[in-house]
Amino acid sequence: MPAETVSVTGWGRTAPTTARLIRPRTYEEAVTAVRDSGARGSIPRGLGRAYGDAAQNAGGAVLDMTGLDQIHAIDVAGGSVLCDAGVSLHHLMEVLLPLGWFVPVPPGTRYVTVGGAIGADIHGKNHHVSGSFSRHVVSLELLTADGTVRTVRPGTALFDATAGGMGLTGVILTATVRLQPVATTLMSVDTERATDLDDLMARLTATDHRYRYSVAWIDLLARGAATGRAVLTRGDHAPLAALPARARSAPLSFRPARLPAAPAYVPEGLLSRRTVGLFNELWYRRAPRARRGELQRLSAFFHPLDGVPHWNRVYGRGGFVQYQFVVGHGREETLRRIVDRIARRHCPSFLAVLKRFGDADPGWLSFPVPGWTLALDIPANLPGLGTFLDELDAEVAAAGGRVYLAKDSRLRPDLLAAMYPRLDDFRALRAELDPRGVFVSDLARRLTL
């Protein structure tokens, strides 16, 4: 099985490391790759959309699982699919939508593999209704450190360690996933403006239960009375009756738009406080004060950035940090304080979103807990960024919150236990299951997972 030495980085492009990249094409080759990992171990990798160092392994092996990408069975009547872990959500949508089914949890990009969706226990705009991805997994096949392939089901310790376990319990080979029925590939969308953070949270608290999908874009450069002003977008899958007559002949057609790729070279400083401030002002002003029932393409509602290949290049060679945290209900003052600090710090973030999480998921390292989650992108070369985010980490941890490991690239290990109470259980199971440390990543070394 061929291997090549390459530089590997996350989607944020902040901390590349060198590893042997191995591309198994069969389950047998995957077993061989794990058994031959070497002293520095190995980590599975999908389409590389983890923002930080979760799918990197300096000096070791990285297993590119995208070659295992077969859909084995679809239960059209019951609504489930059995597929390889290397299948992308994009491909699942291409195959399933014409049959009237949709993935149960769509994240912000459809270019995520099923294995990555489970390993990061991804969430989407519907967490307050549907939970995270692992809640919809019926079973999975896991290749563990001893070369054994185990069938793993919900309700077991190994499942709870694997869901959100960032690939550190083994290599997911296949998964059976329950699906969401849909009648069309259009969304019925309500959009409204919120004047500040308190107005936004009040609207979400009062009416979020009416919508399957909900997200708010926040202007994190707005200050004073406008701090936390936002555009709130919510919706559900449009029924056939809502479509105009011309669209009813092909209600399940799925043809995502695609724009030219971002250029390979982008001048440093393109996303400055000035340019992002202008963008934020225009984006907020052009949004309707209140609009109901607009029909949008599914791809435009869920994955607008997927239409621009390599959009992460716009941050320049220095890359960017994606910072996402959650604090529980009753901790709204912490959220207000952090939003105010970000605004006063003039962090040039134009991709900033706030969502409400529903019930916590069973994964020991799963990110969502009931409460409020804020995610933002920040150019990595912003002066003093590391110290500033360390301070936010401490504030989040003190409030009983946590940061998202799939997006992290710089959290200090001393805060991890406060954020993830089942951390010791995870470490103990890993030690029992993988005493030689076959599965390891740059993230695992940094955080002593």
Side-chain angles (χ1 to χ4, degrees), residues 9-42:
T9 186
W11 192 245
R13 305 170 72 206
T14 55
T17 54
T18 301
R20 290 183 297 113
L21 188 68
I22 302 172
R23 296 184 175 91
R25 293 293 186 264
T26 66
Y27 302 147
E28 292 76 17
E29 288 186 353
V31 171
T32 299
V34 167
R35 287 177 172 165
D36 298 342
S37 291
R40 295 286 288 182
S42 61

Side-chain angles (χ1 to χ4, degrees), residues 199-282:
D199 181 32
L200 172 61
M201 290 193 292
R203 291 170 187 257
L204 286 166
T205 301
T207 59
D208 228 20
H209 62 280
R210 302 175 188 170
Y211 299 89
R212 179 176 296 276
Y213 303 101
S214 176
V215 67
W217 168 87
I218 295 187
D219 181 0
L220 289 178
L221 286 175
R223 300 177 64 187
T227 299
R229 67 179 181 178
V231 178
L232 178 55
T233 307
R234 296 181 287 186
D236 206 337
H237 299 279
L240 185 61
L243 270 60
R246 65 181 182 279
R248 293 182 189 177
S249 61
L252 292 169
S253 174
F254 180 62
R255 298 189 183 93
R258 195 168 179 85
L259 299 173
Y265 172 75
V266 176
E268 297 298 322
L270 176 65
L271 298 181
S272 66
R273 293 165 183 167
R274 180 183 179 87
T275 58
V276 173
L278 177 60
F279 170 87
N280 287 2
E281 182 69 27
L282 292 174

Side-chain angles (χ1 to χ4, degrees), residues 9-194:
T9 186
W11 192 245
R13 305 170 72 206
T14 55
T17 54
T18 301
R20 290 183 297 113
L21 188 68
I22 302 172
R23 296 184 175 91
R25 293 293 186 264
T26 66
Y27 302 147
E28 292 76 17
E29 288 186 353
V31 171
T32 299
V34 167
R35 287 177 172 165
D36 298 342
S37 291
R40 295 286 288 182
S42 61
I43 192 70
R45 180 182 176 94
L47 289 168
R49 291 303 179 102
Y51 285 79
D53 52 3
Q56 299 174 217
N57 182 22
V62 170
L63 309 182
D64 179 346
M65 299 303 297
T66 57
L68 292 169
D69 61 352
Q70 298 300 305
I71 297 176
H72 298 289
I74 302 172
D75 181 354
V76 177
S80 66
V81 61
L82 167 62
C83 63
D84 287 342
V87 173
S88 71
L89 299 191
H90 172 80
H91 184 46
L92 279 184
M93 292 177 195
E94 289 181 314
V95 173
L96 295 173
L97 281 168
L99 302 176
W101 295 101
F102 187 52
V103 295
V105 173
T109 173
R110 60 186 180 273
Y111 295 110
V112 175
T113 63
V114 169
I118 298 170
D121 203 12
I122 60 171
H123 56 271
K125 298 177 176 68
N126 60 339
H127 190 276
H128 63 293
V129 173
S130 303
S132 61
F133 195 89
S134 67
R135 196 181 296 183
H136 306 272
V137 175
V138 177
S139 66
L140 59 88
E141 288 184 307
L142 185 72
L143 170 59
T144 52
D146 60 1
T148 301
V149 177
R150 311 182 187 210
T151 299
V152 184
R153 293 185 172 86
T156 63
L158 185 52
F159 186 92
D160 292 347
T162 300
M166 307 310 298
L168 296 171
T169 61
V171 179
I172 300 171
L173 297 177
T174 71
T176 300
V177 182
R178 288 188 297 268
L179 303 170
Q180 167 69 33
V182 296
T184 76
T185 53
L186 292 178
M187 303 295 296
S188 177
V189 181
D190 293 352
T191 305
E192 57 195 275
R193 289 196 309 211

Side-chain angles (χ1 to χ4, degrees), residues 271 312 354 357 360 406 440:
L271 298 181
N312 56 339
L354 182 77
F357 280 158
V440 66

